[in-house]
Tab-separated table of all heavy atoms in Angstrom:
chain	number	residue	atom	x	y	z
G	332	THR	N	7.336	44.249	17.425
G	332	THR	CA	8.003	42.991	17.051
G	332	THR	C	9.251	42.875	17.905
G	332	THR	O	9.424	41.833	18.624
G	332	THR	CB	8.381	42.876	15.578
G	332	THR	OG1	7.143	43.072	14.876
G	332	THR	CG2	9.042	41.603	15.256
G	333	LEU	N	9.981	43.918	18.121
G	333	LEU	CA	11.220	43.932	18.854
G	333	LEU	C	10.871	43.885	20.290
G	333	LEU	O	11.736	43.467	21.216
G	333	LEU	CB	12.006	45.086	18.566
G	333	LEU	CG	12.643	45.150	17.158
G	333	LEU	CD1	13.737	46.325	16.997
G	333	LEU	CD2	13.433	43.731	16.812
G	334	ARG	N	9.674	44.302	20.838
G	334	ARG	CA	9.349	44.157	22.181
G	334	ARG	C	8.802	42.754	22.502
G	334	ARG	O	8.526	42.558	23.738
G	334	ARG	CB	8.209	45.283	22.458
G	334	ARG	CG	8.705	46.645	22.442
G	334	ARG	CD	7.586	47.707	22.274
G	334	ARG	NE	8.039	49.170	22.446
G	334	ARG	CZ	7.428	50.115	21.958
G	334	ARG	NH1	6.232	49.923	21.372
G	334	ARG	NH2	7.838	51.302	22.004
G	335	ASP	N	8.707	41.958	21.503
G	335	ASP	CA	8.184	40.565	21.810
G	335	ASP	C	9.235	39.492	21.321
G	335	ASP	O	8.925	38.331	21.119
G	335	ASP	CB	6.820	40.296	21.194
G	335	ASP	CG	6.131	39.106	21.813
G	335	ASP	OD1	6.271	38.901	23.044
G	335	ASP	OD2	5.498	38.326	21.140
G	336	CYS	N	10.431	39.920	20.856
G	336	CYS	CA	11.382	39.079	20.375
G	336	CYS	C	12.010	38.273	21.622
G	336	CYS	O	11.802	38.608	22.682
G	336	CYS	CB	12.365	39.752	19.527
G	336	CYS	SG	13.503	40.848	20.471
G	337	THR	N	12.766	37.317	21.234
G	337	THR	CA	13.434	36.425	22.256
G	337	THR	C	14.907	36.421	22.026
G	337	THR	O	15.420	36.419	20.912
G	337	THR	CB	12.962	34.961	22.146
G	337	THR	OG1	11.493	35.053	22.261
G	337	THR	CG2	13.597	34.029	23.107
G	338	ILE	N	15.701	36.541	23.127
G	338	ILE	CA	17.081	36.186	23.021
G	338	ILE	C	17.351	34.817	23.426
G	338	ILE	O	17.011	34.356	24.644
G	338	ILE	CB	17.822	37.240	24.056
G	338	ILE	CG1	17.658	38.674	23.576
G	338	ILE	CG2	19.342	36.867	24.139
G	338	ILE	CD1	18.369	39.714	24.426
G	339	PHE	N	18.007	34.065	22.608
G	339	PHE	CA	18.406	32.712	22.781
G	339	PHE	C	19.880	32.663	23.172
G	339	PHE	O	20.775	33.307	22.492
G	339	PHE	CB	18.183	31.936	21.489
G	339	PHE	CG	16.736	31.777	21.227
G	339	PHE	CD1	16.137	32.455	20.284
G	339	PHE	CD2	15.915	30.700	21.827
G	339	PHE	CE1	14.750	32.378	19.897
G	339	PHE	CE2	14.647	30.550	21.496
G	339	PHE	CZ	14.026	31.401	20.544
G	340	LEU	N	20.076	31.907	24.295
G	340	LEU	CA	21.530	31.977	24.765
G	340	LEU	C	22.165	30.575	24.644
G	340	LEU	O	21.402	29.545	24.800
G	340	LEU	CB	21.500	32.293	26.327
G	340	LEU	CG	21.090	33.722	26.656
G	340	LEU	CD1	20.836	33.871	28.110
G	340	LEU	CD2	22.042	34.612	26.150
G	341	LYS	N	23.384	30.512	24.278
G	341	LYS	CA	24.186	29.208	24.303
G	341	LYS	C	25.365	29.475	25.315
G	341	LYS	O	26.163	30.384	25.062
G	341	LYS	CB	24.670	28.843	23.019
G	341	LYS	CG	23.580	28.416	22.013
G	341	LYS	CD	24.282	27.938	20.661
G	341	LYS	CE	23.280	27.439	19.674
G	341	LYS	NZ	23.872	26.904	18.440
G	342	ILE	N	25.343	28.784	26.473
G	342	ILE	CA	26.298	29.107	27.581
G	342	ILE	C	27.261	27.833	27.624
G	342	ILE	O	26.846	26.830	28.095
G	342	ILE	CB	25.525	29.181	28.903
G	342	ILE	CG1	24.413	30.405	28.713
G	342	ILE	CG2	26.514	29.668	29.911
G	342	ILE	CD1	23.535	30.567	29.897
G	343	PRO	N	28.428	28.000	27.121
G	343	PRO	CA	29.357	26.838	27.100
G	343	PRO	C	29.671	26.437	28.576
G	343	PRO	O	29.633	27.192	29.474
G	343	PRO	CB	30.586	27.337	26.385
G	343	PRO	CG	30.187	28.591	25.616
G	343	PRO	CD	28.967	29.121	26.526
G	344	LYS	N	30.022	25.161	28.805
G	344	LYS	CA	30.439	24.723	30.098
G	344	LYS	C	31.724	25.408	30.506
G	344	LYS	O	31.867	25.756	31.726
G	344	LYS	CB	30.690	23.202	30.083
G	344	LYS	CG	29.389	22.304	30.240
G	344	LYS	CD	29.813	20.835	30.247
G	344	LYS	CE	28.571	19.931	30.422
G	344	LYS	NZ	28.939	18.533	30.563
G	345	THR	N	32.603	25.578	29.631
G	345	THR	CA	33.909	26.130	30.073
G	345	THR	C	33.849	27.654	30.080
G	345	THR	O	33.379	28.309	29.087
G	345	THR	CB	35.004	25.713	28.956
G	345	THR	OG1	34.995	24.292	28.764
G	345	THR	CG2	36.343	26.361	29.347
G	346	ALA	N	34.188	28.183	31.236
G	346	ALA	CA	34.064	29.592	31.357
G	346	ALA	C	34.798	30.501	30.423
G	346	ALA	O	34.364	31.591	30.110
G	346	ALA	CB	34.531	29.960	32.808
G	347	GLY	N	35.944	29.995	29.852
G	347	GLY	CA	36.695	30.765	29.003
G	347	GLY	C	36.223	30.843	27.593
G	347	GLY	O	36.532	31.671	26.706
G	348	GLU	N	35.181	30.027	27.221
G	348	GLU	CA	34.543	30.080	25.930
G	348	GLU	C	33.349	31.094	25.940
G	348	GLU	O	32.723	31.342	26.865
G	348	GLU	CB	33.922	28.690	25.548
G	348	GLU	CG	35.163	27.650	25.458
G	348	GLU	CD	34.552	26.269	25.098
G	348	GLU	OE1	33.356	26.215	24.730
G	348	GLU	OE2	35.315	25.319	25.221
G	349	PRO	N	33.219	31.747	24.769
G	349	PRO	CA	32.299	32.884	24.759
G	349	PRO	C	30.779	32.357	24.635
G	349	PRO	O	30.501	31.265	24.156
G	349	PRO	CB	32.594	33.470	23.237
G	349	PRO	CG	33.225	32.388	22.479
G	349	PRO	CD	33.985	31.590	23.419
G	350	ILE	N	29.934	33.254	25.287
G	350	ILE	CA	28.489	32.910	25.282
G	350	ILE	C	27.955	33.406	23.933
G	350	ILE	O	28.468	34.475	23.411
G	350	ILE	CB	27.887	33.689	26.394
G	350	ILE	CG1	28.304	33.058	27.772
G	350	ILE	CG2	26.323	33.770	26.392
G	350	ILE	CD1	27.850	33.770	29.011
G	351	GLU	N	27.076	32.721	23.302
G	351	GLU	CA	26.399	33.252	22.183
G	351	GLU	C	24.934	33.681	22.467
G	351	GLU	O	24.327	33.041	23.118
G	351	GLU	CB	26.359	32.017	21.163
G	351	GLU	CG	25.741	32.498	19.804
G	351	GLU	CD	25.579	31.291	18.856
G	351	GLU	OE1	26.341	30.289	19.161
G	351	GLU	OE2	25.040	31.539	17.772
G	352	ALA	N	24.542	34.852	21.882
G	352	ALA	CA	23.199	35.265	22.065
G	352	ALA	C	22.648	35.695	20.659
G	352	ALA	O	23.331	36.444	19.928
G	352	ALA	CB	23.224	36.581	23.008
G	353	ARG	N	21.437	35.261	20.307
G	353	ARG	CA	20.882	35.594	19.080
G	353	ARG	C	19.313	35.855	19.326
G	353	ARG	O	18.749	35.314	20.093
G	353	ARG	CB	21.097	34.412	18.150
G	353	ARG	CG	22.410	34.163	17.540
G	353	ARG	CD	22.521	33.095	16.601
G	353	ARG	NE	23.786	32.892	16.037
G	353	ARG	CZ	24.323	33.485	14.951
G	353	ARG	NH1	23.496	34.291	14.213
G	353	ARG	NH2	25.555	33.282	14.516
G	354	LEU	N	18.924	36.759	18.453
G	354	LEU	CA	17.540	37.162	18.535
G	354	LEU	C	16.661	36.305	17.653
G	354	LEU	O	16.995	36.119	16.451
G	354	LEU	CB	17.409	38.593	18.123
G	354	LEU	CG	18.004	39.656	19.018
G	354	LEU	CD1	17.839	41.152	18.374
G	354	LEU	CD2	17.205	39.810	20.270
G	355	GLY	N	15.507	35.820	18.227
G	355	GLY	CA	14.498	35.104	17.386
G	355	GLY	C	13.148	35.691	17.641
G	355	GLY	O	13.072	36.689	18.410
G	356	ASP	N	12.215	34.994	17.099
G	356	ASP	CA	10.864	35.545	17.217
G	356	ASP	C	10.636	36.817	16.511
G	356	ASP	O	9.793	37.700	16.915
G	356	ASP	CB	10.317	35.684	18.713
G	356	ASP	CG	9.767	34.489	19.243
G	356	ASP	OD1	9.498	33.501	18.501
G	356	ASP	OD2	9.516	34.450	20.511
G	357	LEU	N	11.447	37.100	15.365
G	357	LEU	CA	11.306	38.317	14.637
G	357	LEU	C	10.195	38.201	13.555
G	357	LEU	O	10.444	38.473	12.356
G	357	LEU	CB	12.681	38.536	14.098
G	357	LEU	CG	13.847	38.896	14.974
G	357	LEU	CD1	15.210	39.059	14.361
G	357	LEU	CD2	13.530	40.107	15.762
G	358	ASP	N	9.048	37.819	14.060
G	358	ASP	CA	7.927	37.762	13.128
G	358	ASP	C	7.194	39.123	13.116
G	358	ASP	O	6.749	39.498	14.129
G	358	ASP	CB	6.914	36.795	13.587
G	358	ASP	CG	7.651	35.408	13.513
G	358	ASP	OD1	8.260	34.996	12.536
G	358	ASP	OD2	7.502	34.529	14.465
G	359	MET	N	7.082	39.688	11.976
G	359	MET	CA	6.559	41.078	11.840
G	359	MET	C	5.093	41.063	12.413
G	359	MET	O	4.289	40.324	12.052
G	359	MET	CB	6.455	41.489	10.353
G	359	MET	CG	5.768	42.740	10.010
G	359	MET	SD	6.636	44.235	10.692
G	359	MET	CE	5.635	45.511	9.993
G	360	LYS	N	4.837	41.903	13.323
G	360	LYS	CA	3.405	42.120	13.879
G	360	LYS	C	2.579	42.826	12.904
G	360	LYS	O	2.983	43.771	12.140
G	360	LYS	CB	3.517	42.909	15.267
G	360	LYS	CG	4.407	42.336	16.409
G	360	LYS	CD	3.870	41.021	16.870
G	360	LYS	CE	4.723	40.492	17.992
G	360	LYS	NZ	4.217	39.212	18.482
G	361	SER	N	1.342	42.302	12.888
G	361	SER	CA	0.369	42.861	11.901
G	361	SER	C	-0.271	44.101	12.421
G	361	SER	O	-0.539	44.281	13.576
G	361	SER	CB	-0.737	41.817	11.638
G	361	SER	OG	-1.754	42.426	10.850
G	362	PRO	N	-0.411	45.114	11.457
G	362	PRO	CA	-1.238	46.353	11.864
G	362	PRO	C	-2.596	46.016	12.377
G	362	PRO	O	-3.220	47.009	12.943
G	362	PRO	CB	-1.100	47.175	10.627
G	362	PRO	CG	-0.004	46.632	9.799
G	362	PRO	CD	0.127	45.227	10.169
G	363	GLN	N	-3.107	44.874	12.051
G	363	GLN	CA	-4.479	44.524	12.480
G	363	GLN	C	-4.587	44.447	13.975
G	363	GLN	O	-5.627	44.451	14.595
G	363	GLN	CB	-4.946	43.165	11.865
G	363	GLN	CG	-5.049	43.185	10.340
G	363	GLN	CD	-5.607	41.974	9.878
G	363	GLN	OE1	-6.483	41.367	10.279
G	363	GLN	NE2	-5.001	41.483	8.622
G	364	LYS	N	-3.351	44.378	14.811
G	364	LYS	CA	-3.315	44.236	16.120
G	364	LYS	C	-3.378	45.603	16.827
G	364	LYS	O	-3.267	45.704	18.095
G	364	LYS	CB	-2.104	43.475	16.545
G	364	LYS	CG	-2.117	42.060	16.070
G	364	LYS	CD	-1.045	41.349	16.715
G	364	LYS	CE	-1.102	39.699	16.366
G	364	LYS	NZ	-0.069	38.983	17.006
G	365	PHE	N	-3.446	46.798	16.073
G	365	PHE	CA	-3.558	48.055	16.718
G	365	PHE	C	-4.581	48.127	17.753
G	365	PHE	O	-4.272	48.675	18.956
G	365	PHE	CB	-3.693	49.191	15.619
G	365	PHE	CG	-2.428	49.662	15.072
G	365	PHE	CD1	-2.144	49.670	13.751
G	365	PHE	CD2	-1.570	50.352	15.964
G	365	PHE	CE1	-0.929	50.326	13.126
G	365	PHE	CE2	-0.320	50.861	15.383
G	365	PHE	CZ	0.006	50.810	14.045
G	366	LEU	N	-5.850	47.769	17.396
G	366	LEU	CA	-6.898	47.881	18.454
G	366	LEU	C	-6.608	46.985	19.642
G	366	LEU	O	-6.888	47.428	20.768
G	366	LEU	CB	-8.154	47.410	17.738
G	366	LEU	CG	-9.435	47.548	18.621
G	366	LEU	CD1	-9.631	48.999	18.939
G	366	LEU	CD2	-10.689	47.133	17.927
G	367	GLN	N	-5.983	45.885	19.583
G	367	GLN	CA	-5.635	44.987	20.645
G	367	GLN	C	-4.629	45.721	21.519
G	367	GLN	O	-4.771	45.767	22.739
G	367	GLN	CB	-5.034	43.633	20.124
G	367	GLN	CG	-4.588	42.833	21.191
G	367	GLN	CD	-3.835	41.552	20.620
G	367	GLN	OE1	-4.302	41.086	19.514
G	367	GLN	NE2	-2.829	40.967	21.402
G	368	TRP	N	-3.622	46.246	20.846
G	368	TRP	CA	-2.487	47.022	21.621
G	368	TRP	C	-3.169	48.287	22.422
G	368	TRP	O	-2.777	48.497	23.485
G	368	TRP	CB	-1.432	47.515	20.722
G	368	TRP	CG	-0.705	46.365	20.029
G	368	TRP	CD1	-0.466	45.098	20.613
G	368	TRP	CD2	-0.090	46.330	18.759
G	368	TRP	NE1	0.298	44.365	19.648
G	368	TRP	CE2	0.566	45.044	18.605
G	368	TRP	CE3	-0.007	47.300	17.729
G	368	TRP	CZ2	1.239	44.724	17.449
G	368	TRP	CZ3	0.785	46.875	16.580
G	368	TRP	CH2	1.280	45.686	16.434
G	369	TYR	N	-4.019	48.909	21.605
G	369	TYR	CA	-4.763	50.085	22.194
G	369	TYR	C	-5.482	49.740	23.470
G	369	TYR	O	-5.457	50.441	24.441
G	369	TYR	CB	-5.786	50.719	21.154
G	369	TYR	CG	-6.608	51.674	21.594
G	369	TYR	CD1	-6.293	53.089	21.753
G	369	TYR	CD2	-7.930	51.360	21.810
G	369	TYR	CE1	-7.152	54.009	22.288
G	369	TYR	CE2	-8.914	52.311	22.244
G	369	TYR	CZ	-8.521	53.536	22.489
G	369	TYR	OH	-9.469	54.524	22.890
G	370	ARG	N	-6.309	48.654	23.310
G	370	ARG	CA	-7.068	48.285	24.501
G	370	ARG	C	-6.228	47.779	25.664
G	370	ARG	O	-6.527	48.121	26.971
G	370	ARG	CB	-8.005	47.094	24.106
G	370	ARG	CG	-9.119	47.631	23.243
G	370	ARG	CD	-9.981	46.353	22.696
G	370	ARG	NE	-11.155	46.907	21.975
G	370	ARG	CZ	-11.838	46.156	21.165
G	370	ARG	NH1	-11.610	44.787	21.104
G	370	ARG	NH2	-12.917	46.624	20.480
G	371	LYS	N	-5.086	47.093	25.489
G	371	LYS	CA	-4.295	46.761	26.561
G	371	LYS	C	-3.588	47.923	27.235
G	371	LYS	O	-3.568	48.071	28.503
G	371	LYS	CB	-3.021	45.887	26.024
G	371	LYS	CG	-3.425	44.421	25.716
G	371	LYS	CD	-2.235	43.647	25.260
G	371	LYS	CE	-2.662	42.207	24.960
G	371	LYS	NZ	-1.428	41.309	24.473
G	372	GLU	N	-3.122	48.954	26.463
G	372	GLU	CA	-2.595	50.211	26.962
G	372	GLU	C	-3.670	50.844	27.742
G	372	GLU	O	-3.395	51.482	28.849
G	372	GLU	CB	-2.016	51.027	25.837
G	372	GLU	CG	-1.061	52.054	26.322
G	372	GLU	CD	0.267	51.367	26.723
G	372	GLU	OE1	0.779	50.398	26.215
G	372	GLU	OE2	0.852	51.802	27.790
G	373	GLN	N	-4.876	50.979	27.251
G	373	GLN	CA	-5.946	51.634	27.989
G	373	GLN	C	-6.191	50.935	29.436
G	373	GLN	O	-6.348	51.653	30.286
G	373	GLN	CB	-7.241	51.432	27.195
G	373	GLN	CG	-7.621	52.746	26.467
G	373	GLN	CD	-9.118	52.831	25.959
G	373	GLN	OE1	-9.712	51.715	25.768
G	373	GLN	NE2	-9.625	53.896	25.930
G	374	GLU	N	-6.246	49.607	29.410
G	374	GLU	CA	-6.463	48.919	30.694
G	374	GLU	C	-5.304	49.199	31.588
G	374	GLU	O	-5.541	49.408	32.803
G	374	GLU	CB	-6.295	47.417	30.336
G	374	GLU	CG	-7.706	46.940	29.584
G	374	GLU	CD	-7.498	45.511	29.200
G	374	GLU	OE1	-6.551	44.879	29.535
G	374	GLU	OE2	-8.447	44.959	28.474
G	375	LEU	N	-4.012	49.284	31.246
G	375	LEU	CA	-3.054	49.632	32.126
G	375	LEU	C	-3.025	51.053	32.679
G	375	LEU	O	-2.878	51.338	33.912
G	375	LEU	CB	-1.588	49.493	31.329
G	375	LEU	CG	-1.315	48.066	30.934
G	375	LEU	CD1	0.093	48.057	30.204
G	375	LEU	CD2	-1.221	47.149	32.127
G	376	VAL	N	-3.436	52.014	31.803
G	376	VAL	CA	-3.601	53.464	32.295
G	376	VAL	C	-4.827	53.591	33.159
G	376	VAL	O	-4.718	54.056	34.335
G	376	VAL	CB	-3.620	54.393	31.087
G	376	VAL	CG1	-3.923	55.784	31.481
G	376	VAL	CG2	-2.312	54.270	30.301
Side-chain angles (χ1 to χ4, degrees):
T332 302
L333 292 186
R334 289 163 175 161
D335 197 38
C336 69
T337 302
I338 292 182
F339 294 96
L340 298 169
K341 292 183 178 180
I342 309 170
K344 281 185 176 181
T345 306
E348 296 180 11
I350 292 173
E351 180 182 353
R353 288 183 179 268
L354 292 173
D356 274 349
L357 294 171
D358 298 313
M359 173 72 172
K360 301 294 184 183
S361 170
Q363 293 185 46
K364 294 188 174 182
F365 267 122
L366 185 58
Q367 175 185 331
W368 295 329
Y369 165 81
R370 286 172 175 168
K371 284 184 178 179
E372 202 68 40
Q373 257 197 335
E374 290 172 5
L375 294 179
V376 173

